[in-house]
Each structure stands twice: as C-alpha cells, then as structure tokens.
Amino acid sequence: MESWLKESGAVGLDDLELANFQVTGRGVRSLQYYQEGERVLTIPGGILWTVEHAYADPLLGPAFRSVQPPLTVEDTLATYILFVRSRKSGYNGLRSHVTALPTSYSSTIFFTENELEVCAGTSLYTVTKQLKRQIEEDYAGLVARIFGQYQDLFPLDKFTIEDYKWALSTVWSRGMDFVLPDANSIRLLAPFADMLNHSSEVKQCHVYDASSGNLSVLAGKDYKAGDQVFINYGPLPNNRLLRLYGFVLSNNPNDSYDLVLSTHPTAPFWEQKQKLWMSAGLDSTCTISLTLTDPLPKNVLRYLRIQRLDKSDVSVMQVDATDGIISESNEVEVLQFLVDSFCGLLENFGTQLEMLEEQLAASVHPPGGNAWAAAHVSLGEQRVLRLARKRAEDLLAAAESGRGRRGDLSPLARCANCDTGSIFHDYVIQSATANNTINLQVPLAPLNRALRSAFNAFSTFSAYTASLRLTKKDNIPLLSLTMLTDTLPSFRPSTLLLEPDHEPSDPGHDTAGGNDDSVFSADGPPRGPIPQSNALETTITQSVPVTVLAPASVAHIHEPRCREPDVHILLPPLLQLKAISERFTRLALPTAKGNANASSDATSSTRLIISASPHGELKLGVQTSALKIESKWSNLTNPELDPEMVDGGEDGVREHASTKFKQRPREEAWASVRVEGRDWGRVLGVGRLGGRVVACTELTFYMSRADAKVLTREGNRFLR
C-alpha cells in the first residue's frame, strides 16, 4: 500500500510506519520529531474513497446512476469498498488498501446477545437493536435495487449481509466528514491516514483542502521518534465510540445521554406551542444531550415548560418568556415529570451502577472485551442520568418550597390534602355507607400492570383515553380499566419520549463539532395528525380482582403509631439502596446457614443494621459470626420539622426528640435499628413509584408524591 501511495503523490510516508501498540493495537509510529502544527502526512485527492470517485468509475458509475432515488453516502461507499474487494484484477492500489483493513470489527452490531445485555437500558442498547433491524432492511433493499440487477458486478456470494455489515463498519470507523466552503459536506476514506488512532489529548488536526482535494494530517502535539501519532475524533461519548469505532475510554469526560423530546400535533394549543418552540430555537421533536458537565440543559426545561402549558398559561404567554419559569404549577409539573422519567430510565438498566463497578473491579468481564466495553457505556450513561435526576430533584425542592402553604406541608400533610382532581378528570361515587365511602383491598402488582398498559394509549377521537370503574363479574368485584387507543402507531399528546437517538446517517469524524445523528422516520413520532379516516379506535379492557371491605373491617387500619423519631433523613436513591441491601443479604445468608451455632431461623442472622445520624449520614450493614460489611452515605438531607405540624409549635420543635438527639456529640449521634433483609427489600420497592422517601428511626417511611401516600412500618404497607 505504501508504494502505491508514494507513486500516487502521498507525502510524509518515509517518516512514518505502521506498528502494533499495547493498548490501541495497530497504529502509526513516528520516525522523527514533529512540532505541534507541523504537517505530518498528505494523501492526494485522486486516491481518496469518495462518492464522486465511485460515480466516476467506468463500471460502477452506470449502475449507481440507474438507482433512483440515489443510494445514501454510506451505502455508496460500502458498495464501492465491497466491489473493489471482490475484483480479481484491476484496482490494484485500492485493493492494497482494502487488504490492509481489519478483517473484523468490534462495534456493537457484532456483539452477541449476552454481550449486549450488559448495557441493557442504555441508549446504545436500543440504538443497536434498531440498527440491526435497519441493516437487514437496507441490505434487502440493496439486493432488490442494485445487487440483484447487476450480478455480474455484485456477485451475491461476495455481497452477503455479513459482507455489507463489515463494509458499513469500515465506513463508520474510518470515514472522515468535512464541511466545505459552500456549506455542503463530504465524507471520505483516506488510505494510511485511516490507520491513525484517536486521542483526546491532541488537538483536532486532520484537514481537507477543498481546492486541491487533498487530505492532510498535522501534528496535534509535539512528537519524538518512536511515539504513536494520533488524531482527535472529537469529544465523543462512550456510547458513540463503541457503536461506531469499537472502543471505549475509561471515565470518559464526554459521556452523555441523548434525550428525545416529542409532542404529538394533536396536543392542545399545538399551533401556539409550535410558535413558542420556534422562538426558543427548538422544534416539536428535539434531541438534547445530557452530559456530565450539564446534566439538565436549559433547553430540556424550555421545551417541557412550553409542552405543559395549559389554557391560562397560553393566554398570557409571551414568545420571549420561554427562558424562565412560566408559573409555579407549570414548573412543579415539569420537574416532577422529569424526576419520575429519570427514575424510570435508571430503573430500566439491566445492571445498576454499583454492581457494574464491583463487576469491573473483580474482572467479571475480561478487560478490553465486548462485555467490558458495554459495561463502561452503561456506567457513563447511568452517571449522567443520576446527575440529571439529582438536578431535577433539587430544582423541584426549590420550586415546591416557594409554593406557599401547600409547599411547606410535610409529606403526610401534603398527601392528605391531595386534590382528587389531580388524579381524575371526573368521578362518581355511590355508596350506601356513611360518608359515601367504598373501601377496597387492591393487589398492587395486577393494578400496576394494568396502569402501565394504559401509559401510551392515545385516541384521535376521544378527549380521555382511560376510565376506571368498579364492577362485578360472576359475583366477583373487579376494578375494570378501559382504554381507548388508535391501532396506528401514535404518541400521547404530551409526552417525553424515553428513547435515545438513532443511528447517524453520516457517522464518522465530525470535524465540524456538530451532532450528525438523525432519527429514523419509521421509528419517530408522526409528522402530522393521524387522519381519522385511517385511524381505527380500539377498546381494551383489563380487570383487576379486588375485595370490597366492610366499614368494620377497616376501622382498625390506621397510620403506624410509634414514639417520636430520633432522626429524620432523606434516603439515597431507593433502587441503589435496594440493590446493596439485597447483595448484603445474599452475602450473609451462606455464612448464617454454614454456621453450626446459628439459629434454626437463618433469616434472623441476616438482619440488616440501619443507622442514621442527624448530620446527613446513613449506614447500612450486616454482621454475622463470619462476616461484617457496611456501606455509608454522606451529605444526605435531614429535613427540618415544620412547627405548624408539631404540637406546641416552635416550643414543640425545641423539645422534640430529634432536636435533642442532634445535640449529642457527633460520634454518639447514631440511631440504629435491625430489620429482616427480605422484608426490607420489599419495602424499598416503593422506589419504583418515584418520589422522595424520608426515613425515621422505628422504621416508619413517608413517601411523598402528588397522588399517593405510602406508610410503612416493620414490613406492613398501607397505600392510600
């Protein structure tokens, strides 16, 4: 390849050589000193792989020009590469470059199911699944449109789907993108220059001269003889590095999560909202990157504030007011929605962050392998989403604190004053009992499944898409959930799509610094209202068996009665706490069973020890005769007591047990309790509902949400 390049006019090859390096594998080594900014290599334009050259080829050109609409840039280049590889004669120079290319790639489309499952829940996982399907569809289209039409040029035994995937990965991992002076763009592959590896420690240093058509590489830093020469692909997150290039960077500072925000055109006040989005530089469908340095960008809040506008807000809304809080109710609704959404996204990860860190430390996934790389992608995205959730929670707490009397109420009082209208648009209760009350015992798991099935229901015909009623079948009382939904793919009028962005149409070295990702039109939201002539409304009914309780049977149900707690503390994320608790319980169980002196009830030896201090600290541990392990959290919040909710007001707060407990020396101010591990794990399941949980000694938990109150004590759960 080097001889052909020199004959073709390449400059700089005498001072460079291909070599294998321990960490990066094959790369380019310097044979002399280079100063930063000095020209290292120039590849003439006449031997670059480009769409223009493919169309100019005397054999390929007529075939490409016969296909309408034209093939995409990446399909054209992939076909060009496979065509050259398939030739037994001719194209000697280009074939020497193809021979030097890797025979296989480690991008995620080649991962096994088990390897990909390591990053389940990430945007990379979803994109890879979609990409595999898209590649199969695109390959079938190529066979029908060009391969099958010109089998003398494209013999199908050399243009299989596996060959196509290899060629696509070649284009993705080795292509370079440049913006031209006329604002058009070009994608190219440069022989030998494509052997340069990435380093974020060098400046972006590869340039394209539009006048000559040459590709040049400059020294991104000073090099001495024997150093590996690098280029910089740009500030890319691990999910994109692995998807396109087949590698990751540990603790990548550019890790991100791409959040897709979308609103259906049939949403209320669509035209007004569309104008407001445009004035804010947004669109009805936006992809916004959450990053480690900016986990909750302003554009996310701008978008959702407009999306959640109601009639009163729209009537007074000004186009220049989208950068600030529109109203207290709008802001709280937006932030609560974000907190719930981030919790849902984090819950969907197959392996939680703490467990991944333990697995990587223990080399469960062989370093450098596909599963190891997938684990790093999951780590990065979870860190970004946790920062985003924390930011949303902080903003929500600040917003609620400014809402007056209701915002100042304790979680219990706030829940007790919950407005029924925030749950139901309208309701009717008819009961012969006092106070027109119906008491139901409802199994939570079936109810949860039924409610989840209604989450994405949308009807172009009806204002409301779900109704809940108490009925009876075969003398068995049922909660009947009826949903109306269109059979065509549709989205709820106001929704945050919890889906990542899709495969870029032109992936590669983005020298313009932009994001070239684009959403597959087949998977995105509809671009206009669904015509009612094409939509078919379907009614779906799910029934949840319930028990109707007589007034006498519920008279004894009350909130837990316990002494005043010594410590109130906001717990860390419950799913994190649940994962660690279950791990501790599993670790302790074998030692308890293997101990000859252990109690016959093994679970008594696996009780967890929970300790909290009034200084924002929480400890969770387990201790047996053979094991002692503990985790500790710091910088948690100890909520202040509201004098209006304490007997005696300000005096009552001063005399409260928690106030006196806080006056103890710091090392003595620890309140502890022992709980059975499995019961504790079930209690932490309330984390799936979202919200924030306050823990007090005596193990009473108050979970605050707009529409639910969970009171738990020693494993007994009351849901209202």
Side-chain angles (χ1 to χ4, degrees):
M1 176 177 67
E2 287 88 337
S3 299
W4 163 64
L5 290 172
K6 291 177 183 179
E7 293 173 1
S8 301
V11 178
L13 291 172
D14 290 335
D15 300 315
L16 302 169
E17 67 176 1
L18 296 178
N20 287 316
F21 297 89
Q22 185 174 3
V23 176
T24 61
R26 185 172 60 171
V28 176
R29 179 159 54 202
S30 169
L31 300 179
Q32 69 161 39
Y33 171 81
Y34 289 101
Q35 186 176 2
E36 181 179 325
E38 185 178 351
R39 191 176 301 272
V40 174
L41 175 68
T42 297
I43 305 298
I47 58 175
L48 300 175
W49 299 85
T50 65
V51 170
E52 181 182 0
H53 290 165
Y55 272 77
D57 185 89
L59 296 178
L60 281 179
F64 281 141
R65 285 189 289 272
S66 70
V67 179
Q68 294 298 326
L71 300 183
T72 64
V73 171
E74 59 188 25
D75 277 349
T76 301
L77 291 174
T79 302
Y80 189 11
I81 292 170
L82 287 178
F83 171 77
V84 170
R85 189 176 74 163
S86 70
R87 306 303 290 181
K88 295 181 179 180
S89 61
Y91 303 91
N92 292 336
L94 289 176
R95 278 198 294 122
S96 68
H97 178 221
V98 173
T99 302
L101 294 174
T103 57
S104 63
Y105 292 98
S106 54
S107 54
T108 53
I109 61 171
F110 298 105
F111 279 25
T112 66
E113 288 297 321
N114 288 339
E115 290 168 343
L116 192 59
E117 278 299 318
V118 176
C119 64
T122 65
S123 61
L124 176 66
Y125 180 88
T126 305
V127 168
T128 301
K129 292 282 191 179
Q130 293 168 338
L131 187 55
K132 287 183 176 181
R133 293 193 297 268
Q134 190 70 28
I135 287 173
E136 292 177 356
E137 294 174 6
D138 290 347
Y139 174 74
L142 287 173
V143 171
R145 299 173 65 198
I146 187 168
F147 294 169
Q149 303 296 324
Y150 300 92
Q151 293 194 36
D152 55 328
L153 297 178
F154 311 112
L156 294 182
D157 62 328
K158 295 182 179 180
F159 286 77
T160 67
I161 189 169
E162 292 303 318
D163 294 324
Y164 175 57
K165 289 166 64 176
W166 172 85
L168 279 179
S169 295
T170 298
V171 175
W172 294 341
S173 62
R174 313 181 91 76
M176 299 180 183
D177 297 325
F178 298 93
V179 177
L180 303 177
D182 61 2
N184 289 319
S185 62
I186 184 173
R187 161 159 291 197
L188 57 87
L189 277 73
F192 196 90
D194 64 346
M195 305 294 177
L196 293 161
N197 289 316
H198 163 75
S199 173
S200 58
E201 297 178 359
V202 304
K203 296 179 179 178
Q204 290 194 346
C205 51
H206 48 297
V207 294
Y208 177 74
D209 186 343
S211 59
S212 66
N214 296 339
L215 183 283
S216 295
V217 177
L218 310 179
K221 66 174 185 177
D222 293 343
Y223 294 106
K224 61 180 184 294
D227 286 348
Q228 182 176 184
V229 180
F230 294 98
I231 59 175
N232 191 325
Y233 297 175
L236 301 179
N238 276 340
N239 50 28
R240 195 171 179 203
L241 286 175
L242 186 56
R243 173 169 47 115
L244 301 179
Y245 305 102
F247 69 90
V248 297
L249 301 175
S250 296
N251 299 312
N252 188 343
N254 300 309
D255 273 332
S256 67
Y257 187 94
D258 289 336
L259 202 63
V260 179
L261 304 170
S262 184
T263 304
H264 196 281
T266 57
F269 315 110
W270 166 259
E271 293 183 0
Q272 297 96 316
K273 292 177 180 180
Q274 181 76 346
K275 291 178 181 178
L276 291 170
W277 279 318
M278 292 179 63
S279 71
L282 303 170
D283 198 357
S284 59
T285 298
C286 291
T287 299
I288 302 174
S289 290
L290 316 180
T291 66
L292 291 170
T293 55
D294 190 8
L296 190 58
K298 289 183 178 179
N299 276 346
V300 174
L301 296 175
R302 288 191 185 108
Y303 183 98
L304 291 175
R305 285 167 181 156
I306 297 170
Q307 184 195 66
R308 298 296 167 124
L309 290 175
D310 59 22
K311 183 176 181 179
S312 59
D313 291 328
V314 169
S315 62
V316 298
M317 189 67 185
Q318 303 295 322
V319 284
D320 59 351
T322 59
D323 198 31
I325 296 175
I326 294 172
S327 67
E328 290 181 350
S329 60
N330 175 276
E331 192 73 2
V332 169
E333 180 182 356
V334 165
L335 293 170
Q336 184 62 65
F337 178 64
L338 280 172
V339 171
D340 292 344
S341 298
F342 291 142
C343 286
L345 285 170
L346 286 165
E347 184 181 344
N348 286 335
F349 280 82
T351 307
Q352 294 298 304
L353 187 146
E354 293 78 15
M355 183 64 72
L356 277 175
E357 290 176 333
E358 292 180 11
Q359 291 175 349
L360 290 171
S363 297
V364 173
H365 306 300
N370 290 347
W372 177 87
H376 277 81
V377 170
S378 184
L379 279 178
E381 291 199 8
Q382 288 191 62
R383 286 169 180 157
V384 170
L385 286 172
R386 289 191 181 195
L387 289 174
R389 180 181 62 186
K390 179 64 166 60
R391 178 63 176 152
E393 288 174 341
D394 291 344
L395 291 174
L396 178 60
E400 288 182 327
S401 67
R403 295 188 71 185
R405 178 70 183 88
R406 179 176 170 81
D408 292 336
L409 293 177
S410 69
L412 284 181
R414 193 182 316 152
C415 185
N417 286 276
C418 176
D419 180 10
T420 310
S422 67
I423 303 174
F424 302 105
H425 291 288
D426 56 73
Y427 63 94
V428 176
I429 300 177
Q430 294 179 335
S431 172
T433 62
N435 301 320
N436 196 31
T437 300
I438 302 176
N439 299 296
L440 300 177
Q441 180 177 313
V442 184
L444 294 184
L447 178 62
N448 181 57
R449 286 194 296 270
L451 293 176
R452 281 180 178 272
S453 69
F455 187 73
N456 288 312
F458 173 71
S459 173
T460 57
F461 302 91
S462 305
Y464 307 129
T465 57
S467 62
L468 191 66
R469 58 195 177 92
L470 180 63
T471 184
K472 183 181 291 187
K473 183 178 181 180
D474 297 331
N475 211 31
I476 298 175
L478 303 169
L479 270 183
S480 180
L481 177 65
T482 301
M483 294 158 283
L484 301 176
T485 187
D486 290 347
T487 56
L488 292 178
S490 62
F491 294 79
R492 292 180 300 135
S494 292
T495 181
L496 166 63
L497 291 187
L498 304 180
E499 299 174 0
D501 204 2
H502 303 278
E503 175 59 25
S505 57
D506 292 311
H509 309 315
D510 188 356
T511 58
N515 186 347
D516 56 10
D517 286 357
S518 63
V519 179
F520 289 152
S521 60
D523 293 319
R527 300 302 180 189
I530 298 175
Q532 290 199 10
S533 59
N534 296 331
L536 177 62
E537 188 175 65
T538 301
T539 302
I540 302 173
T541 301
Q542 295 208 38
S543 297
V544 180
V546 298
T547 302
V548 179
L549 303 176
S553 64
V554 299
H556 66 285
I557 298 178
H558 52 77
E559 295 180 3
R561 296 192 182 98
C562 58
R563 67 180 181 85
E564 291 298 326
D566 294 321
V567 178
H568 303 81
I569 191 166
L570 284 175
L571 295 178
L574 294 196
L575 293 177
Q576 175 192 116
L577 196 60
K578 185 176 186 338
I580 295 175
S581 300
E582 290 175 346
R583 179 168 177 79
F584 282 5
T585 302
R586 288 194 298 269
L587 287 172
L589 191 57
T591 63
K593 290 182 177 179
N595 183 3
N597 298 320
S599 166
S600 58
D601 182 7
T603 60
S604 65
S605 297
T606 59
R607 290 197 173 187
L608 300 175
I609 304 170
I610 305 171
S611 304
S613 84
H615 304 288
E617 297 175 309
L618 179 76
K619 292 190 290 188
L620 175 68
V622 65
Q623 181 174 353
T624 69
S625 59
L627 171 72
K628 182 177 181 180
I629 187 170
E630 183 180 82
S631 285
K632 182 178 179 180
W633 289 263
S634 302
N635 300 318
L636 300 177
T637 300
N638 297 105
E640 298 293 335
L641 293 175
D642 183 351
E644 295 186 12
M645 304 302 296
V646 177
D647 292 339
E650 297 287 352
D651 292 336
V653 171
R654 283 192 293 270
E655 296 300 320
H656 195 274
S658 61
T659 304
K660 295 182 177 180
F661 195 80
K662 190 173 184 178
Q663 297 169 358
R664 294 186 181 185
R666 191 181 184 103
E667 62 275 8
E668 298 179 9
W670 285 94
S672 301
V673 67
R674 297 176 70 94
V675 296
E676 202 285 306
R678 290 185 180 138
D679 286 346
W680 168 248
R682 286 193 291 269
V683 168
L684 293 179
V686 299
R688 299 178 183 276
L689 299 175
R692 290 165 294 165
V693 177
V694 181
C696 315
T697 58
E698 292 291 325
L699 275 192
T700 303
F701 296 89
Y702 303 92
M703 190 195 75
S704 172
R705 279 181 61 92
D707 56 356
K709 174 170 63 177
V710 177
L711 305 172
T712 309
R713 183 184 183 190
E714 297 181 355
N716 298 319
R717 182 178 304 170
F718 301 85
L719 176 63
R720 295 187 178 181

